[in-house]
């Protein structure tokens, strides 16, 4: 009989997969040979049984044949197990191959993901540069509009138009910008951004995705495409509420944006509801003295002012002023803007003493922090002169108007004469004073 050699048990644990497969094949070959040998012996025993006459010898051969049959069955079982092991090995090889393919796909996806991240970073840089260019163009546009207004000083104005202009209420369109616009401007001018101060003081900064969405909404609103802007805001608001919950600063920011769109559509009731909701969220999540709360209060005051509710708007504006003074400091340019808002609200109520106080303080802040050539200085002087005119203080108003014109002339043409009057006039007609809007 052939003998089978099995690997030592202490070495089985150290075998590799290839060695196991090789040994299994050897075992299968040995079992096949052993099976054939047993079948040959069994066949010879059966032939022997036919030739034997004695019962005792026949019984002995029968026992041996039974033992051989059992041995053959065990060998067949071993062969079956060995074949299962071979099939399992084949399956494991297929699994390993698939695993390698998946790893290759993962590496490729990681490379593609890194490429997309790089592309996103480049796109964000381009977007920042574009926003800076837009802000710069806006400043140049404002400057050109101001210079265009100066050219109108030589034109005659009928007394009826002057009287109508004096009788009308001051416009609230130039009030302090909303907090989202303010934050976008802060990317180029940090001292003009209360949202930046919010990030420093309260640890909350408006996410970039909301700033981008705000710019998109403003673009649609400026084109009059409210049917696109409003659903866009509502969908973003719904997504934010699902992911972050209703009482979250990002939800308040989105409510502010939607309120401004409604305000542009003259839907003041809906806008007021949204702003009050945003105010409640920001007070709850950021604290009552947070700059974002001041921005929402200011937006609400602007809304009331547009509806002619100056008494309701005044305390909101005063509270916003207190917050800005506390967080940003009493001589911050944003405080001066808030003072301008408050002065305009008081002026529409005939509180001229308070108006003078607020304008003078705002003017002092602008001149000390931004310099005498900043457009806000001329604008505040013009507003103060308008207040003087309404009180009949013509000399004080004349001084301010001359300062505005002299400064503009010096900036544009260079020099003035000893009396402070411009050396050159573009027209022989007498100079008329107009209120700068």
């Amino acid at each position: 009989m052939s003998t089978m050699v099995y690997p030592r048990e202490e070495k089985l644990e150290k075998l590799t997969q290839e060695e196991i497969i090789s040994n299994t094949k050897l075992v299968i070959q040995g079992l096949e040979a052993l099976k054939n040998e047993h079948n040959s012996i069994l066949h010879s025993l059966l032939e022997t049984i036919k030739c034997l006459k004695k019962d005792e010898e026949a019984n002995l051969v029968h026992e041996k044949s039974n033992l051989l049959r059992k041995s053959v069955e065990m060998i067949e079982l071993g062969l079956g197990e060995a074949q299962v092991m071979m099939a399992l090995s084949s399956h494991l090889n297929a699994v390993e191959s698939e695993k390698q393919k998946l790893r290759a796909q993962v590496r490729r996806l990681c490379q593609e993901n890194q490429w997309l991240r790089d592309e996103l970073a480049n796109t964000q840089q381009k977007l920042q540069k574009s926003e800076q260019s837009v802000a710069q163009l806006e400043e140049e546009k404002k400057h050109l509009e101001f210079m265009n207004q100066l050219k109108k000083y030589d034109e005659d104005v009928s007394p009826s138009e002057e009287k109508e202009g004096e009788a009308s209420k001051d416009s609230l369109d130039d009030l302090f910008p909303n907090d989202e616009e303010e934050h976008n401007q802060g990317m180029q001018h940090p001292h003009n951004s209360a949202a930046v101060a919010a990030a420093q003081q309260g640890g909350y900064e408006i996410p970039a995705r909301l700033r981008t969405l705000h710019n998109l909404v403003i673009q649609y609103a400026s084109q009059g495409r409210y049917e696109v802007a409003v659903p866009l805001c509502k969908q973003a608001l719904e997504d934010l509420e699902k992911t972050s919950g209703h009482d979250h600063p990002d939800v308040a920011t989105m409510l502010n944006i939607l309120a401004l769109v409604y305000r542009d559509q003259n839907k003041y009731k809906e806008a007021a509801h949204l702003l009050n909701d945003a105010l409640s969220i920001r007070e709850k999540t950021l604290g009552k003295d947070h700059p974002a709360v001041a921005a929402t209060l200011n937006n609400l005051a602007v809304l009331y002012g547009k509806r002619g509710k100056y008494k309701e708007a005044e305390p909101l504006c005063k509270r916003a002023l207190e917050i800005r003074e506390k967080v940003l400091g009493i001589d911050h340019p944003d405080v001066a803007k808030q003072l301008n808002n408050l002065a305009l609200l008081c002026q529409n109520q005939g509180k001229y003493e308070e108006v003078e106080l607020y304008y003078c303080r705002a003017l002092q802040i602008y001149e000390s922090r931004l310099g005498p050539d900043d457009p806000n200085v001329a604008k505040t002087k013009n507003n103060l002169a308008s207040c003087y005119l309404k009180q009949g203080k013509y000399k004080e108003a004349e001084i301010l108007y001359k300062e505005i014109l002299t400064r503009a002339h010096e900036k544009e043409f260079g020099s003035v004469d000893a009396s402070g009057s411009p050396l050159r006039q573009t027209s022989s007609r007498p100079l008329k004073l107009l209120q700068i809007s």
Side-chain angles (χ1 to χ4, degrees), residues 189-419:
H189 306 286
H191 60 271
N192 284 337
S193 176
V196 171
Q200 296 172 350
Q201 300 290 336
Y204 167 68
E205 184 176 3
I206 298 174
R209 66 182 188 280
L210 294 187
R211 292 201 302 271
T212 304
L213 178 62
H214 172 259
N215 292 336
L216 189 60
V217 170
I218 289 299
Q219 180 180 354
Y220 285 134
S222 64
Q223 298 171 358
R225 299 176 64 185
Y226 299 110
E227 72 281 359
V228 180
V230 172
L232 187 64
C233 288
K234 288 183 175 180
Q235 182 62 47
L237 183 61
E238 183 179 348
D239 294 341
L240 283 172
E241 287 181 337
K242 286 181 180 179
T243 56
S244 305
H246 183 71
D247 293 336
H248 193 275
D250 291 353
V251 174
T253 300
M254 202 65 241
L255 288 170
N256 263 282
I257 297 174
L258 183 56
L260 295 177
V261 175
Y262 279 147
R263 189 188 70 183
D264 291 343
Q265 295 179 276
N266 297 327
K267 295 181 179 181
Y268 298 124
K269 186 175 180 181
E270 294 88 340
H273 175 72
L274 294 174
L275 285 174
N276 279 309
D277 195 7
L279 178 62
S280 174
I281 294 172
R282 284 181 166 172
E283 285 179 338
K284 187 185 301 182
T285 57
L286 303 178
K288 293 188 176 182
D289 292 334
H290 196 278
V293 174
T296 309
L297 287 167
N298 182 78
N299 290 343
L300 198 54
V302 171
L303 186 64
Y304 285 150
K306 283 182 174 290
R307 300 175 68 183
K309 297 182 178 182
Y310 304 114
K311 290 184 179 180
E312 293 86 344
E314 185 179 350
L316 298 174
C317 204
K318 284 183 176 180
R319 186 183 163 200
L321 176 63
E322 291 174 0
I323 295 174
R324 295 188 193 279
E325 288 177 335
K326 182 177 180 181
V327 176
L328 304 176
I330 59 175
D331 60 343
H332 196 277
D334 286 354
V335 173
K337 290 183 179 181
Q338 196 70 56
L339 286 166
N340 263 299
N341 294 356
L342 188 54
L344 191 55
L345 289 172
C346 292
Q347 185 168 319
N348 284 325
Q349 298 177 71
K351 299 178 180 180
Y352 295 111
E353 292 183 3
E354 296 181 33
V355 173
E356 290 182 25
L357 177 64
Y358 295 141
Y359 277 142
C360 288
R361 187 181 161 200
L363 184 60
Q364 182 181 4
I365 294 173
Y366 280 138
E367 289 179 334
S368 63
R369 293 296 299 274
L370 305 181
D373 292 328
D374 188 82
N376 289 308
V377 173
K379 185 176 179 179
T380 305
K381 283 184 177 180
N382 180 77
N383 292 341
L384 182 56
S386 174
C387 176
Y388 284 147
L389 286 177
K390 292 188 176 183
Q391 298 178 79
K393 297 181 179 180
Y394 301 113
K395 289 184 178 180
E396 291 87 342
E398 182 182 2
I399 292 172
L400 288 176
Y401 281 130
K402 282 184 177 180
E403 288 180 1
I404 296 171
L405 293 174
T406 301
R407 199 74 191 178
H409 192 281
E410 288 177 347
K411 190 175 180 181
E412 185 69 21
F413 302 107
S415 60
V416 295
D417 61 16
S419 63

Side-chain angles (χ1 to χ4, degrees), residues 76-183:
E76 289 177 348
L77 179 62
L79 284 170
E81 291 177 351
Q83 289 171 355
V84 169
M85 290 179 65
M86 292 297 294
L88 180 61
S89 174
S90 176
H91 175 70
L92 289 176
N93 287 332
V95 170
E96 184 64 26
S97 176
E98 189 68 24
K99 184 179 178 182
Q100 293 297 332
K101 289 181 182 178
L102 291 175
R103 283 180 178 174
Q105 289 181 357
V106 168
R107 283 195 297 270
R108 182 175 58 81
L109 290 174
C110 288
Q111 292 174 353
E112 291 180 358
N113 186 42
Q114 185 60 41
W115 178 79
L116 289 174
R117 286 178 181 273
D118 294 339
E119 286 294 317
L120 179 61
N122 293 333
T123 305
Q124 287 177 338
Q125 289 179 356
K126 291 179 182 178
L127 178 62
Q128 271 190 341
K129 291 180 181 178
S130 300
E131 289 177 346
Q132 291 175 357
S133 301
V134 168
Q136 191 173 6
L137 290 173
E138 287 290 337
E139 290 296 328
E140 292 177 1
K141 178 185 174 184
K142 290 179 182 178
H143 175 70
L144 290 174
E145 288 177 349
F146 179 76
M147 296 306 300
N148 188 41
Q149 299 243 348
L150 290 179
K151 291 180 182 178
K152 295 180 182 178
Y153 289 166
D154 293 330
E155 299 176 0
D156 292 327
V157 179
S158 65
S160 61
E161 289 176 344
E162 291 180 352
K163 185 174 181 181
E164 182 182 354
E166 291 176 359
S168 63
K169 287 287 184 182
D170 294 293
S171 172
L172 291 169
D173 290 337
D174 294 330
L175 284 178
F176 192 73
N178 61 76
D179 52 337
E180 289 77 19
E181 291 172 349
E182 192 175 68
H183 185 79

